[in-house]
Amino acid sequence: MYKLMELPLQQDIVALRRALWAHRIGHQVTNEETIQVLWLADPRQRDEAAHLIEQWHRGELAERPAQTTKRRSPGMLGSAFTQAPLVAACVAICVVVFALMALFGDRVVAALTFVPVDAVSGRLTVGTLDDSLASGQVWRLLSPALMHFGWMHLVFNMLWLWYFGRQVEALQGPVRFIILAAVAALVSNLAQYATGTVLFGGMSGVDYALLGYVWLMARRAPGSGFFVPQMLVVFMLAWMVFTMTDMASLFGFGNVANEAHLGGLLVGLIGGWWAGGRAARGER
């Protein structure tokens, strides 16, 4: 990491950081007593970052004072799509699917389960993976990741998706993110289905893949711009282990897609090890 500049701790640098992310300039801010330090991931982007800093000092990046709160909110939403449009779109799709599940219930769930599920003469019939593929319903291989079965389930998965996914898309582009997310969704869904479970869903398998990827990228290529607090890694891994134990059911967490979490994590670790090694050697 390249030390770019020091600023007073209380100084607002939100506009500057938005501009840096919009120009795909990887960076990090750390607090040190009375100052905040802006670090640059790639020293080769120093001149471009310096130009944005000059604009920021002249007030050209700041929001106009005349803006009202109502007009500022769309700008913040637009900033999210500028930083990581594909990740933001994934979050939006999951929210829409959640709303459709609330409105139309089982019809939406049946359309998105890993294998076809239907009620015939009052009895539940469950198809197979071969049925899905033979009938051309290939979307089912990925669609369970879009379903969430409660507000807490949705909110936490979207927070991690945004936190980790934004780094991948902003630093390495949308293609890298979508490949990683799609492979993680496929592997985590297959892992969960292999246990004999049919009704499952959630983006947590993808979240764990992104966690593993970002973590190894940060460790193997420290100058890549990726960052994740070690305590967050410890917490998420400890949570995964905890939900695999009998203790989890005592606290109401018995119905957790543990195999999906593990499958996604393995995808992220493999991808992070490969990509981190390439980045450390100066390859893309």
Side-chain angles (χ1 to χ4, degrees):
M1 299 289 280
Y2 174 79
K3 189 174 183 179
L4 194 60
M5 65 185 303
E6 295 181 353
L7 297 157
L9 189 61
Q10 69 276 12
Q11 187 161 4
D12 185 2
I13 60 172
V14 172
L16 174 59
R17 297 198 66 186
R18 286 176 178 169
L20 290 171
W21 280 121
H23 286 76
R24 300 193 183 282
I25 298 177
H27 64 280
Q28 178 185 342
V29 176
T30 59
N31 295 335
E32 301 178 6
E33 296 182 355
T34 59
I35 62 170
Q36 53 183 331
V37 181
L38 178 63
W39 301 86
L40 188 65
D42 187 351
R44 292 173 295 183
Q45 295 181 301
R46 180 172 47 188
D47 292 341
E48 186 178 2
H51 177 66
L52 289 175
I53 291 172
E54 289 178 6
Q55 289 183 302
W56 176 66
H57 279 307
R58 293 196 298 266
E60 297 174 7
L61 301 181
E63 296 180 357
R64 292 173 295 178
Q67 280 187 308
T68 64
T69 302
K70 290 184 179 180
R71 293 176 64 187
R72 187 177 299 123
S73 296
M76 293 175 65
L77 182 60
S79 176
F81 276 90
T82 299
Q83 291 178 22
L86 200 56
V87 179
C90 288
V91 172
I93 291 171
C94 288
V95 172
V96 170
V97 169
F98 184 77
L100 291 175
M101 289 171 62
L103 290 173
F104 302 106
D106 294 343
R107 283 179 289 177
V108 176
V109 175
L112 299 178
T113 49
F114 192 70
V115 294
V117 176
D118 196 10
V120 179
S121 300
R123 299 182 62 181
L124 186 67
T125 61
V126 178
T128 65
L129 181 57
D130 289 339
D131 294 334
S132 297
L133 299 178
S135 60
Q137 300 179 48
V138 293
W139 73 84
R140 293 185 183 274
L141 297 175
L142 304 179
S143 59
L146 303 177
M147 293 193 296
H148 294 83
F149 301 102
W151 277 108
M152 295 297 289
H153 190 206
L154 175 70
V155 169
F156 277 102
N157 277 354
M158 294 305 97
L159 285 174
W160 300 133
L161 177 63
W162 178 248
Y163 181 82
F164 296 116
R166 180 178 57 175
Q167 293 190 51
V168 176
E169 184 173 3
L171 295 173
Q172 294 186 324
V175 174
R176 179 66 56 87
F177 167 75
I178 197 61
I179 291 175
L180 180 60
V183 173
L186 175 61
V187 172
S188 59
N189 288 340
L190 284 171
Q192 194 62 37
Y193 178 68
T195 66
T197 307
V198 174
L199 183 58
F200 57 86
M203 195 65 72
S204 51
V206 175
D207 289 343
Y208 271 99
L210 293 170
L211 164 69
Y213 185 88
V214 171
W215 179 46
L216 281 188
M217 282 295 302
R219 291 184 65 86
R220 288 175 59 79
S224 63
F226 286 93
F227 174 75
V228 55
Q230 289 302 309
M231 284 306 300
L232 179 56
V233 177
V234 172
F235 168 77
M236 292 192 70
L237 294 180
W239 176 258
M240 184 176 69
V241 173
F242 170 73
T243 55
M244 291 180 177
T245 66
D246 294 335
M247 289 291 295
S249 60
L250 298 177
F251 293 91
F253 297 110
N255 190 20
V256 179
N258 296 312
E259 290 75 11
H261 295 172
L262 183 59
L265 179 62
L266 290 176
V267 169
L269 292 176
I270 293 170
W273 184 268
W274 172 79
R278 288 176 59 87
R281 295 190 298 268
E283 304 173 15
R284 295 186 64 83

